[in-house]
Amino acid sequence: VMGVERRVAVVREITKKFEQTVRGRLDEVIAHFKEHEPKGEFVIVVAGYDAKAERMAADDEENDE
């Protein structure tokens, strides 16, 4: 729905001894958790919509065709 280019941070066990953070594009983070089973409590922060970035991505797609 948001597109795979959207940036995200997923933090596991926030404020605890074994806190871990995974950052990247949505597709990268999904791939990470397909290889590493998610366990524990998570906080997920998704970047807001960026109209300029969306237009630039659309322009790149048109130029590739």
Side-chain angles (χ1 to χ4, degrees):
V1 171
M2 292 184 235
V4 296
E5 297 296 320
R6 187 77 59 109
R7 304 290 297 175
V8 63
V10 179
V11 185
R12 183 178 78 88
E13 303 296 344
I14 196 167
T15 74
K16 296 182 182 172
K17 182 178 180 179
F18 300 106
E19 179 178 320
Q20 294 178 324
T21 303
V22 178
R23 294 184 189 112
R25 294 186 332 243
L26 280 171
D27 60 339
E28 296 168 337
V29 174
I30 290 169
H32 170 83
F33 285 109
K34 284 183 177 180
E35 292 188 22
H36 304 91
E37 182 181 354
K39 294 179 182 177
E41 299 172 0
F42 289 83
V43 173
I44 302 171
V45 180
V46 180
Y49 177 73
D50 185 346
K52 182 178 179 182
E54 188 77 21
R55 283 192 305 273
M56 290 174 63
D59 289 345
D60 286 345
E61 285 180 18
E62 288 177 10
N63 291 335
D64 288 342
E65 294 175 355

